[in-house]
Amino acid sequence: MRNTLKAVTLESRFPLLSVEHDCIVSKNADITVAFRVELPELFTVTSTEYEAIHSAWVKAVKVLPDYSIVHKQDWFIKENYQPEMQQEGMSFLARSFERHFNERPYMNHTSYLFLTKTTKEQSRRQSNFSTLCRGFIVPKEIQDKETAVKFLENVSQFERIVNDSGFVHLKRLTTDEIVGTSQSTGIIEKYFSLSQEDTTCLQDISLAAADMRVGDNLLCLHTLSDVEDLPSQVSTDGRYEKLSTDRSDCRLSFAAPVGVLLSCNHIYNQYLFVDDHGENLRRFEKQARNMHSLSRYSRANQINKEWIEKYLNEAHSFGLTSVRCHCNVMAWSDDRNEMKRIKNDVGSQLALMECKPRHNTVDTPTLYWAGIPGNEGDFPSEESFYTFIEQAVCFFTEETNYRSSPSPFGIKMVDRLTGKPLHVDISDLPMKKGIITNRNKFILGPSGSGKSFFTNHMVRQYYEQGTHVLLVDTGNSYLGLCEMINRKANGKDGVYFTYTAENPIAFNPFYTDDRVFDIEKKESIKTLILTLWKRDNEPPTRSEEVALSNAVSLYIEKLNTDNIVPSFNTFYEYVGGEYRKILAAKQVREKDFDVANFLNVLEPYYKGGEYDYLLNSDKQLDLLNKRFIVFELDNIKDHKILFPIVTIIIMETFINKMRRLKGVRKMILIEEAWKAIAKEGMAEYIKYLFKTVRKFFGEAIVVTQEVDDIIASPIVKESIINNSDCKILLDQRKYMNKFDSIQSLLGLTDKEKSQVLSINMANHPSRRYKEVWIGLGGVQSAVYATEVSLEEYYTYTTEETEKMELFRLTEKLDGNIELAIKQLAESKRNQSTL
């Protein structure tokens, strides 16, 4: 009985024969090599870099033989973020962060490149000879084996040229990645199911031109297949106005509107057909003569003749290669009403490229069929237009979404465009790659820019990954986080030191566990005493430095031989007694080192003096095993004597901790306290700290909000900025007119300047977040969003009323700060839903 059903099986129409040696072979004897393409992240590429990428593509295309097809296929699929809740040892705040982003929609971009070698006859076929229209397909043989071998050599050259550009990376797909395995799905099966997931199954395909379906998904196709639909000129990139200012440019590739900026499920296909260049030009010469002959009958013929001659003149004058090109946007949805919106969105994005949106309702099935990986030779030739390689490559998308770092260590940030959480490593992987030479960080952000939120978010994640964190703060920014850690650790961690008159912070800089004083320890003691002795505008003479150095060295020797209690008191007594006699014996003049003046200036720190408690502590701060320590110096931040001394000793204590903890990550973060220690006599000590911490698996971080301070202080530039390979800037629009000075001081490139000035310019209205720029060694930089859950918000908040509300509720709940934060966050969520 004859089969009268209109349905046919996929096998009867399937255009591919086999996959051998990682090459797809079609039944028309076309050979295709497939690549996965890694593109640079969006908003991180300059105009010059776009031109370099464009140049690499052009050079690569030129090495391909005649009758080759370059097919770049970019997939943009809507996905929902799946939280990582199954990890062991996740903290309360880490779980809150993951829950906050649960099911957050975002666009996932995957890019493929297919290089196909076809024949002259196949390249000229039209849509009515597609394999879709044939009752059966007889596989052809590759007649010339040398052609295949030569093509594969050309493909290798193509790959090398693109990869050598340093911006785009091609990774050749294997047979398993093309056809799939029992555990994973291949790219061909993914194409037939319009999915990039591993769990796919083939669905019915309805090939009606005006209403094509794949499973439940309706397809909508817009094509660029006629020169009349194209803009008058194309470029490698264009200005993205939303993130640009009158002082800076944010650039995106020419085709970005139908790439990462189009927020619907779609495939953007870019085809480039390399025919016989000489034959093309001969055909155009013939057409021009025909048009000239017919020009008396129609002015249109005369105009066409002029256009053809212009094309020929360009080709001959500049040595350009004639090629054919086609681009299409294939979007889909299972909702017919949504398809109307998608159709309008695609059309408007094409219009942003100054292209004429052409909704193709005729060739949808044949263009879908030609998009099958390996079936590029089945492309209908009438859907392409003639141009040159340089112009055709401008239609390639050249950027992708932000990628997470493969490193196991890092912090969670958020993609500024889609809101997807990202894992970003700004310490280990950049060091391993040689992008940075130290882990130190310099953070600059004016008041209200979200600086304390970012620093809280960063140090919390560092702490949760085993880092020993010491913070020197002047504004109670870390009180909530420290209190939570303290309650969670039952008081064994999360130590919060505050300077009060009743309980002042006291130290003993001369104390060591084993009474061993290395060079670094001696230098820190000398720096401290110099700070106590000399004013900022009164640098010590060379003879005074030598005398003080000798005093410290001889006193340390005495500690090791005599039974003396190490403290400032005994050092003071040693200088006034035994060391004074040594100087007299050496006939050291008073003008070279005035002992009386020295003792008089330092008398307030000796027993009975105003600050005698400060340097004579009889109990040592046990910082060694405490992983989260905050020194809050707000009460003495304006005290000219106490503030710099306490800050120095805290840092010296950190250095001691740093030396003794081998193989453990350490971090010291200094907020506005750096201003007190950035004096002339302290430059060497700060420089020493920033250089030394690198050698002990540590990092020093300085945070400031006053741009005038960093511009005016050469000490900061020499000691801090030059030794901080990671620079972090928040919203700088308040300093727009001063930013040239900041750019020069921080050594930012024009690209980095443009990124910084784009911060918070186009934030999503339905999300609450602040953006932050992170630059690594002048090599790698990007803007991320600091978006947190409500639980994290109430932990990090610096608003006095919110902190008081949190601590009142904590007391009611018997000190359970986690429960208090949960209740506050839940009440806030309930209010927002009413």
Side-chain angles (χ1 to χ4, degrees), residues 371-439:
I372 300 170
N375 195 39
E376 284 74 15
D378 219 8
F379 186 89
S381 60
E382 75 271 17
E383 284 288 342
S384 59
F385 59 88
Y386 281 94
T387 182
F388 300 116
I389 296 175
E390 286 76 6
Q391 285 77 6
V393 170
C394 288
F395 288 95
F396 282 14
T397 52
E398 304 292 11
E399 61 274 301
T400 187
N401 293 322
Y402 284 8
R403 290 184 290 266
S404 288
S405 169
S407 171
F409 183 84
I411 59 176
K412 287 281 188 180
M413 298 300 290
V414 176
D415 186 321
R416 70 190 302 204
L417 185 68
T418 66
K420 176 193 174 186
L422 300 164
H423 178 77
V424 182
D425 184 357
I426 55 176
S427 292
D428 288 3
L429 191 63
M431 278 281 285
K432 188 176 180 181
K433 289 184 172 180
I435 294 172
I436 58 177
T437 58
N438 60 65
R439 295 178 174 86

Side-chain angles (χ1 to χ4, degrees), residues 37 40 102 129 203 327 346 360 388 408 412 455 475 479 538 557 578 625 711 789:
V37 185
N102 185 33
F129 203 77
Q203 304 173 62
C327 298
V346 176
N360 195 319
F388 300 116
K412 287 281 188 180
T455 50
L479 180 59
E538 188 185 356
E557 285 180 17
E578 191 173 328
N625 299 311
I711 291 175
S789 63

Side-chain angles (χ1 to χ4, degrees), residues 444 704-712 732 735 738 742 745:
L444 172 66
T704 185
Q705 66 178 18
E706 294 297 334
V707 66
D708 290 332
D709 290 333
I710 64 167
I711 291 175
Q732 300 293 314
Y735 305 131
K738 300 178 182 177
I742 301 174
L745 180 70

Side-chain angles (χ1 to χ4, degrees), residues 223-456:
T223 56
L224 297 177
S225 53
D226 195 318
V227 287
E228 293 180 0
D229 302 334
L230 304 179
S232 57
Q233 62 180 19
V234 294
S235 58
T236 56
D237 57 291
R239 178 180 162 99
Y240 185 59
E241 293 295 342
K242 286 185 178 180
L243 295 179
S244 298
T245 69
D246 57 346
R247 293 171 177 266
S248 62
D249 269 356
C250 178
R251 313 296 293 187
L252 286 177
S253 66
F254 179 75
V258 291
V260 290
L261 300 184
L262 179 56
S263 57
C264 64
N265 288 328
H266 68 285
I267 298 173
Y268 178 48
N269 288 300
Q270 307 120 77
Y271 293 91
L272 197 153
F273 303 91
V274 181
D275 298 327
D276 185 332
H277 170 65
E279 185 179 334
N280 283 348
L281 295 189
R282 287 192 293 273
R283 188 184 306 116
F284 279 122
E285 294 280 6
K286 184 178 179 180
Q287 285 183 4
R289 289 193 296 271
N290 291 341
M291 290 296 172
H292 180 70
S293 301
L294 298 171
S295 60
R296 68 176 68 183
Y297 303 110
S298 169
R299 183 164 294 276
N301 291 333
Q302 177 66 28
I303 293 171
N304 285 339
K305 175 228 174 192
E306 292 175 4
W307 278 113
I308 293 172
E309 286 185 341
K310 281 186 178 180
Y311 183 84
L312 291 168
N313 290 339
E314 288 281 316
H316 288 297
S317 300
F318 300 102
L320 303 179
T321 303
S322 173
V323 294
R324 288 182 293 125
C325 181
H326 168 88
C327 298
N328 67 61
V329 180
M330 193 181 299
W332 65 87
S333 172
D334 57 2
D335 185 345
R336 192 173 290 275
N337 291 326
E338 188 185 14
M339 281 303 297
K340 295 178 182 177
R341 179 189 63 80
I342 289 175
K343 177 184 173 183
N344 292 332
D345 285 351
V346 176
S348 62
Q349 293 299 100
L350 284 169
L352 287 177
M353 297 167 61
E354 297 184 19
C355 297
K356 186 184 295 181
R358 188 176 293 277
H359 182 218
N360 195 319
T361 58
V362 177
D363 286 321
T364 306
T366 52
L367 290 175
Y368 171 80
W369 205 248
I372 300 170
N375 195 39
E376 284 74 15
D378 219 8
F379 186 89
S381 60
E382 75 271 17
E383 284 288 342
S384 59
F385 59 88
Y386 281 94
T387 182
F388 300 116
I389 296 175
E390 286 76 6
Q391 285 77 6
V393 170
C394 288
F395 288 95
F396 282 14
T397 52
E398 304 292 11
E399 61 274 301
T400 187
N401 293 322
Y402 284 8
R403 290 184 290 266
S404 288
S405 169
S407 171
F409 183 84
I411 59 176
K412 287 281 188 180
M413 298 300 290
V414 176
D415 186 321
R416 70 190 302 204
L417 185 68
T418 66
K420 176 193 174 186
L422 300 164
H423 178 77
V424 182
D425 184 357
I426 55 176
S427 292
D428 288 3
L429 191 63
M431 278 281 285
K432 188 176 180 181
K433 289 184 172 180
I435 294 172
I436 58 177
T437 58
N438 60 65
R439 295 178 174 86
N440 300 336
K441 296 169 179 57
F442 178 77
I443 302 175
L444 172 66
S447 178
S449 63
K451 182 171 71 276
S452 64
F453 259 80
F454 171 77
T455 50
N456 266 281

